[in-house]
Amino acid sequence: MAEWLHAEAVLGTEGLRALDALGPTEVLVGVYGANQARSVAQVAEAATKGLSGALAGRASAVVVLDAGVGGDTAETARAWARAHPPVPPVRGLRVPGPPIRGRAVLAALAAARHLEAESCALVDAGLVSLPPEGVEQLLRPLLGGEADYVSPAYAHTPSEGTLTSNLLAPLCRALYGRRLQQVVGACAGLSGGRLGRLLDAEPWDGDLTGYGLEIRLTVEALTSGERLVEAHLGRKALDPGPAAPDLATTLARTVGPFFGLMDRYRSAWSGAQRSTPVPQIGGPPALLPETGDVQGDRMVRAFKLGLKDLLPVWEQALPEETLGQLYPLALLAPEEFRFPPELWARVVVDFAVAYQDRRVPRDHLLKALTPLYLGRVAAFLREAQAAPPQRVATILDTIGRAFEAEKEDLEARWR
Amino acid sequence: MHETWSDILVGAFREVVQRLSLVAPRLLALATMLVVGWILAALARRLVIRVLRAMDFDTRCARWGFTAGLIRGGFRQPPSQLLGRLVFWTLFLVALLMGIEALEMPATAGLVAGAVRFLPNLVIAVLVLAVGWLLANFTAQAVLIAAVNAQIPLAPFIAGAFRWLVVSFTVAASLTQLGIAREMVLLTFGIAFAGAVLALAIAVGLGAKDLAREMLESHLRGQNRDQDSATHV
């Protein structure tokens, strides 16, 4: 069944009735998740506190959308609301149909549109680090007419969000010309206007896998030309739920939809040239020094094992020239291991082209990227640990510029 | 009543000419069939290749992983050319059978009827082989990637074992379909499969029980989800 952005189509008659019972809603926080019973109460509490604080004068509500198996997340939210009757009201709704996380995001969007909310904050039910002020940070620029889309920015150490810092953000910067910190930030704010302009003309089925819908919302905001700001929300902590995916699956769920959307937004990224920063609210997020023990040696071992055993798969995605630059890396000891950003950007571009050409089954291709990614992360963390904290921003910028340098080649090879 | 030397010679010559006059048109028919069959098969091959190229068949095969499987199997030509060759040899074989039938020789009587009866089984067996080969390559690649990502040593060996398991099952199914040594194939496959499973169980039980316990424990404790202590998204 095709999934449309209509509340009745996504939530069913019962869900629609529960929404309508909320009455006129100016501000909505849509908490989405699947099997997130462990963390949803904490997130709902932060959302209600945020709405009842600085935004107390507005008609607002929190709706928890649960697309998991058994509806535990929605039930937990309802139980919490019964035990601590909150102001504003909290509703826990189960999204009928197959248990796909993306359907909860779609339901949150559809609910906000149905209620004709002036502003809407979408929050992952696992985002336990979200402070009440964070909800206000996401909504205030929308209500004040300063922005149509608010993306989160987090303080982080080099080892936090390495897929974002080494692949998603630099590729996004090269393609769409904006230096956004988070592509999949676990929360976002959308104005009523932005919600209204989300497409009705086509079903959203293709974006429901993995983080596809969140990535598409970000890309839509980047390519629409609407006002976009980043809100600093402190440090990010995400409860992955009871069934945390392994790294290869995480790569497939994030990088796959990102590559997939490159086809849809081909016309939008083919023209963009130099990148520009995104305006920030609440100051730039801090780059924190590394505190924990990062097992770089193990990552280097994973890279070397991949180079030895996954070569038949890589040969189908990477040209001889790229492979030729990878071979010498296998001879480096862990303490001197390096994987230059230029080579990494070339690898990612090669994989994106191979993904588009379907040279290898797509799931296999994305999972085969894992050892290469681990090699790059090992090199990045080694470099970041050896550098003074203030230089980490420069290292991150170098990665972005390396991706920008590859864009011309990518455009030429993208069919 | 003594035949002269010349009578015998003439008689033998007449006999040969008479027999040749009976066989020659049939030989001519065979030759014609072969020549016409060759020409038609060559034309059909060209046509098939052109149509397949117009349909972007080679690119599609590459996308479905078929080309990679063919290369791994030692076929270096593009799939469109391979299909063209298949069409060529099928048509030429049909022409050859028709030519042989035209000879009306006792030794070849019923050859065409037998071949036609056998054809559906052959087609099904080839299809089973093709699908099995694709499945074997797909499975082996998935196992290889998963094993390497889990940093399991000897990943190519494990993937290869999966590939040959699926291939041997496919070959056994194809041979059974063709009715070739059915009992022997079933028995051989059954013994080999059961033996492999038993050997694997003994190997894990004796040699790798500590490793298996460690992996299970770390999995149940939720450790080793990632290969490191970095967070990714």
Side-chain angles (χ1 to χ4, degrees):
Chain A
M1 192 181 78
E3 302 285 356
W4 299 89
L5 198 57
H6 304 145
E8 190 170 4
V10 189
L11 285 166
T13 320
E14 204 178 312
L16 197 65
R17 206 176 301 131
L19 270 187
D20 288 335
L22 287 170
T25 305
E26 205 178 339
V27 180
L28 182 80
V29 176
V31 179
Y32 58 89
N35 308 317
Q36 296 278 16
R38 195 165 63 190
S39 55
V40 69
Q42 193 179 337
V43 177
E45 188 177 359
T48 51
K49 279 185 179 165
L51 290 174
S52 60
L55 301 170
R58 308 213 177 228
S60 55
V62 176
V63 179
V64 174
L65 288 313
D66 173 16
V69 182
D72 290 353
T73 311
E75 183 46 47
T76 306
R78 283 196 293 267
W80 175 81
R82 277 195 300 272
H84 319 80
V87 178
V90 172
R91 296 279 182 274
L93 303 180
R94 191 172 172 197
V95 182
I100 303 169
R101 189 176 158 279
R103 300 188 70 249
V105 188
L106 188 70
L109 289 170
R113 257 189 31 164
H114 178 77
L115 292 170
E116 296 178 359
E118 195 182 311
S119 303
C120 163
L122 296 177
V123 183
D124 190 310
L127 190 63
V128 288
S129 63
L130 183 76
E133 313 82 64
V135 178
E136 190 202 335
Q137 295 260 48
L138 284 173
L139 292 165
R140 185 67 74 188
L142 306 168
L143 293 165
E146 298 161 47
D148 292 299
Y149 189 86
V150 181
S151 180
Y154 299 105
H156 65 98
T157 65
S159 67
E160 288 172 350
T162 45
L163 180 60
T164 302
S165 60
N166 279 268
L167 198 160
L168 298 174
L171 185 57
C172 188
R173 164 181 167 165
L175 290 175
Y176 304 110
R178 302 303 299 273
R179 290 176 215 157
L180 199 65
Q181 195 213 48
Q182 297 289 318
V183 178
V184 190
C187 64
L190 290 88
S191 69
R194 176 93 284 271
L195 277 167
R197 285 185 287 276
L198 287 177
L199 293 178
D200 257 337
E202 53 183 316
W204 289 66
D205 305 53
D207 304 303
L208 294 177
T209 50
Y211 294 94
L213 223 146
E214 287 122 300
I215 295 173
R216 185 170 167 197
L217 284 178
T218 307
V219 174
E220 277 273 352
L222 288 168
T223 55
S224 63
E226 291 174 357
R227 290 161 306 164
L228 173 70
V229 295
E230 276 186 331
H232 182 196
L233 301 183
R235 212 158 167 191
K236 180 183 176 186
L238 194 68
D239 182 342
D246 61 13
L247 175 58
T249 309
T250 305
L251 273 174
R253 287 181 183 177
T254 46
V255 182
F258 197 100
F259 284 170
L261 283 169
M262 284 167 68
D263 231 2
R264 191 197 294 252
Y265 292 94
R266 171 75 165 95
S267 58
W269 61 261
S270 58
Q273 289 301 316
R274 294 176 72 89
S275 62
T276 53
V278 174
Q280 290 172 330
I281 291 171
L287 279 164
L288 308 167
E290 197 64 70
T291 49
D293 176 33
V294 179
Q295 298 169 21
D297 293 7
R298 200 166 172 193
M299 295 185 208
V300 174
R301 256 203 324 273
F303 169 78
K304 289 182 179 177
L305 190 67
L307 194 60
K308 182 170 78 72
D309 290 343
L310 278 187
L311 207 54
V313 185
W314 290 359
E315 277 172 342
Q316 296 174 65
L318 301 173
E320 196 53 51
E321 192 193 337
T322 313
L323 282 169
Q325 293 177 59
L326 286 172
Y327 295 137
L329 305 189
L331 304 173
L332 299 172
E335 58 276 10
E336 59 179 15
F337 187 78
R338 59 187 167 73
F339 193 142
E342 296 78 17
L343 178 56
W344 169 240
R346 164 56 57 137
V347 165
V348 173
V349 164
D350 289 338
F351 265 74
V353 173
Y355 182 91
Q356 197 221 11
D357 289 349
R358 293 178 187 269
R359 276 182 235 157
V360 185
R362 285 179 160 176
D363 192 55
H364 291 188
L365 181 80
L366 295 165
K367 288 181 174 173
L369 181 63
T370 312
L372 288 161
Y373 164 72
L374 283 172
R376 171 58 205 157
V377 173
F380 165 70
L381 293 179
R382 197 181 140 266
E383 194 183 356
Q385 278 172 334
Q390 61 273 20
R391 229 188 76 76
V392 176
T394 316
I395 296 171
L396 291 172
D397 188 55
T398 309
I399 304 169
R401 278 191 277 116
F403 275 78
E404 284 179 343
E406 285 296 327
K407 188 175 172 186
E408 202 177 316
D409 180 58
L410 176 65
E411 279 196 59
R413 292 164 68 192
W414 200 268
R415 281 188 254 175
Chain B
M1 295 296 290
H2 292 287
E3 285 181 304
T4 61
W5 174 83
S6 60
D7 289 339
I8 292 169
L9 205 63
V10 169
F13 182 73
R14 275 188 186 150
E15 184 74 16
V16 170
V17 168
Q18 197 177 2
R19 288 200 176 182
L20 270 180
S21 67
L22 278 174
V23 174
R26 291 172 187 165
L27 283 174
L28 197 65
L30 171 66
T32 312
M33 286 287 187
L34 289 180
V35 172
V36 172
W38 185 276
I39 292 168
L40 283 179
L43 285 174
R45 178 177 59 184
R46 276 192 173 191
L47 186 71
V48 166
I49 291 174
R50 281 195 176 188
V51 169
L52 290 176
R53 281 187 182 159
M55 288 163 59
D56 216 9
F57 183 72
D58 292 336
T59 315
R60 287 169 201 263
C61 281
R63 284 179 184 174
W64 299 330
F66 193 69
T67 310
L70 286 173
I71 291 169
R72 216 172 284 123
F75 298 96
R76 296 279 160 192
Q77 287 180 317
S80 60
Q81 290 228 8
L82 280 176
L83 264 182
R85 282 179 71 176
L86 186 70
V87 168
F88 174 85
W89 286 110
T90 307
L91 287 180
F92 186 69
L93 188 70
V94 169
L96 181 69
L97 286 171
M98 287 166 70
I100 291 171
E101 189 74 4
L103 285 176
E104 291 181 8
M105 287 163 66
T108 60
L111 188 71
V112 174
V116 168
R117 270 202 307 276
F118 191 65
L119 203 61
N121 282 336
L122 187 68
V123 170
I124 292 171
V126 169
L127 273 177
V128 168
L129 267 182
V131 172
W133 182 248
L134 277 180
L135 191 68
N137 283 324
F138 184 86
T139 314
Q141 195 173 61
V143 169
L144 176 70
I145 293 167
V148 171
N149 284 341
Q151 297 198 37
I152 295 173
L154 300 175
F157 173 76
I158 297 167
F162 266 86
R163 173 180 289 118
W164 288 110
L165 183 73
V166 179
V167 166
S168 54
F169 181 77
T170 307
V171 170
S174 296
L175 288 176
T176 309
Q177 178 65 37
L178 292 174
I180 298 170
R182 188 170 291 179
E183 286 76 18
M184 198 181 79
V185 168
L186 285 174
L187 201 65
T188 310
F189 181 74
I191 290 170
F193 187 70
V197 171
L198 185 67
L200 196 68
I202 291 171
V204 171
L206 293 178
K209 63 177 182 183
D210 293 337
L211 179 68
R213 190 180 60 197
E214 202 177 295
M215 284 172 71
L216 273 173
E217 278 178 359
S218 70
H219 179 74
L220 291 173
R221 283 189 198 135
Q223 293 171 351
N224 203 24
R225 287 240 158 83
D226 289 343
Q227 334 248 347
D228 49 78
S229 53
T231 59
H232 300 282
V233 180

